[in-house]
Amino acid sequence: MGKAETEQEWQEHMSEEILGLLRSELYMDFRYMDVALSALSWCPKNGIDTIGTDGEQLFYSPEQLIRVYPKNPIFLNRTYLHSVLHCVFSHLWLQGNREDARWDLACDIMVEYVIDHLEKPSTKRILSWSRRDIYNRLDNAKRKLSAASIYEEMTAWDDEDFRTLTKEFYTDTHAFWQRGGNEPPMPLPAQKKWDKLSRQTQMQMEQRGEEDAEGQQLILDQVSVNGNRYRYSEFLRRFALLREEMQCDPEEFDMNFYSFGLRLYGNMPLVEPLETKEVLKIQTFVVVIDTSYSTSGNLVKKFIQQTAEILLGSGQVSAQCRIHIIQCDDKVQKDDVVSGMEELERLLQNFELVGGGGTDFRPAFQYVNELIEQQRLKDLSGLLYFTDGKGIYPGKRPDYQTAFVFIGEYEEALVPPWAMRYVCSRAELETTAV
């Protein structure tokens, strides 16, 4: 037993020496990623045959590192960078409702595509025929590359393609990734950390102005798209309604006094627990879609899915939460109501835009005000209007929070001062699968 423990300690010591060498080599070629490369603590892990991460730790197999390093250190350099880039690109937290194996492959292809285009000495390798072929296919698709867009391209691949590419691009294990269907209710600590690290990496790249323009631009594109989705989640949560619920507030309740009274008087606590606590809860939310010719059906579906998933998965919704999805051009065309992910999925499966006339924002507000007056819409947390911004705005501020989400640039002078605004790029919507 003592000998086994000594052998294990030796393996872990040698593994950490190897990991340090890998990280140092990557530092030399990717100085703009110095903080990101140091952000994961190392942790030996039994039962895995490669590296993996949960965003906090880098799990590794000591036996694999010691066996592979003398023969192929560049492979291990790539594996280390591969796992770090998954974190920088937020792949661990952006899966949504996508199927596990296909999302894993899409993320691996995206990261390897970036590494292969960086062409640095520490990571450069000869491309196989399979890699050259899939890279050419992705380039010819004429779409902005992301893990989400690659996932969508997979619908045209046959089973043999999938098996071949899964074997070709397998690098690290994704066993420690966030799973479970939707986004976590709130950004996880690791997700928040990597959002900051991604922005820091972006700033360092822009300041250094390295010579590898193509590879760096690929990294910048991924950081920008995934960072936008995170910021949109935070923006959307500002609309949560502050309400008072019947529940014990542990921050206002002193258990010591309460227990002392029970001990002293039998059944008479000195301090009763407070039964109410102010919490953020979304009761009702309205999403209005501009159905003039300025918006396309696919973009609208992706916007609805992204918005509803964030709201319904935020942990800030009440049990009776209802989201109204209103279509409006120069008049209200349709009002669909969903209260859960199953209803959302059914709506999106058969969703069609109704309208196509001119853009007038006022009818949607008039319609919502009428629903409130008729008490058919209660406890409205906020209204989002998805549009290109070219229309007639209400002259009066409504009694509820309002934000306009614009596709690209808009004429700021036309937007009323009381309206919040958010610019949503087409690339940002590509991170959402329908």
Side-chain angles (χ1 to χ4, degrees), residues 78-330:
R78 292 178 64 102
T79 305
Y80 196 116
L81 181 61
H82 182 107
S83 285
V84 171
L85 286 178
H86 277 317
C87 297
V88 172
F89 299 161
S90 297
H91 289 164
L92 287 69
W93 308 285
L94 291 178
Q95 180 172 344
N97 293 315
R98 302 177 181 98
E99 191 267 323
D100 288 358
R102 292 184 179 271
W103 176 245
D104 287 348
L105 176 56
C107 293
D108 284 338
I109 292 175
M110 185 67 251
V111 167
E112 289 295 293
Y113 182 95
V114 169
I115 295 175
D116 285 330
H117 283 75
L118 288 168
E119 295 192 337
K120 293 293 187 179
S122 62
T123 57
K124 191 171 183 179
R125 56 161 286 177
I126 298 174
L127 298 186
S128 65
W129 181 88
S130 295
R131 289 192 179 226
R132 291 197 303 269
D133 177 62
I134 194 61
Y135 292 167
N136 287 334
R137 286 158 64 180
L138 293 173
D139 291 339
N140 292 334
K142 305 298 182 184
R143 299 182 63 179
K144 196 169 186 68
L145 274 184
S146 67
S149 67
I150 293 173
Y151 183 93
E152 292 184 12
E153 288 293 325
M154 287 183 186
T155 57
W157 300 357
D158 57 29
D159 291 341
E160 183 62 29
D161 272 340
F162 183 76
R163 286 192 294 270
T164 300
L165 293 174
T166 298
K167 184 177 180 180
E168 171 66 32
F169 286 94
Y170 176 75
T171 305
D172 64 342
T173 177
H174 300 173
F176 310 103
W177 286 21
Q178 171 71 34
R179 304 291 191 185
N182 305 319
E183 283 189 304
M186 291 290 287
L188 300 171
Q191 184 180 1
K192 289 183 177 181
K193 178 181 77 174
W194 280 101
D195 178 66
K196 294 178 181 178
L197 287 172
S198 297
R199 293 199 300 271
Q200 187 171 349
T201 300
Q202 180 181 11
M203 288 187 291
Q204 289 193 26
M205 292 174 71
E206 292 169 347
Q207 290 170 358
R208 286 179 177 273
E210 301 282 344
E211 69 279 1
D212 183 15
E214 181 183 9
Q216 281 200 186
Q217 190 57 51
L218 287 168
I219 294 179
L220 286 171
D221 288 345
Q222 298 306 303
V223 171
S224 175
V225 168
N226 295 325
N228 282 343
R229 177 173 172 83
Y230 175 81
R231 286 189 287 274
Y232 179 60
S233 299
E234 292 301 300
F235 171 83
L236 199 51
R237 290 186 178 100
R238 296 181 194 176
F239 287 89
L241 183 64
L242 187 64
R243 298 182 58 81
E244 192 176 66
E245 285 195 342
M246 297 298 291
Q247 58 176 280
C248 177
D249 185 352
E251 296 179 0
E252 298 293 335
F253 173 50
D254 191 330
M255 180 61 75
N256 292 327
F257 284 107
Y258 185 84
S259 301
F260 178 72
L262 291 177
R263 291 196 304 270
L264 187 62
Y265 300 111
N267 62 351
M268 186 183 298
L270 290 180
V271 180
E272 288 287 353
L274 299 178
E275 294 183 340
T276 62
K277 176 185 178 182
E278 285 193 320
V279 294
L280 293 171
K281 286 292 179 182
I282 297 172
Q283 299 287 320
T284 310
F285 204 91
V286 172
V287 178
V288 185
I289 305 299
D290 175 3
T291 59
S292 65
Y293 288 115
S294 60
T295 54
S296 68
N298 198 39
L299 279 179
V300 167
K301 288 175 70 175
K302 290 184 175 184
F303 172 76
I304 292 173
Q305 179 178 7
Q306 187 176 114
T307 302
E309 281 183 354
I310 292 171
L311 290 173
L312 294 172
S314 67
Q316 295 173 280
V317 296
S318 71
Q320 298 80 29
C321 175
R322 293 160 61 86
I323 301 175
H324 287 251
I325 300 170
I326 298 172
Q327 299 189 47
C328 181
D329 46 13
D330 55 1

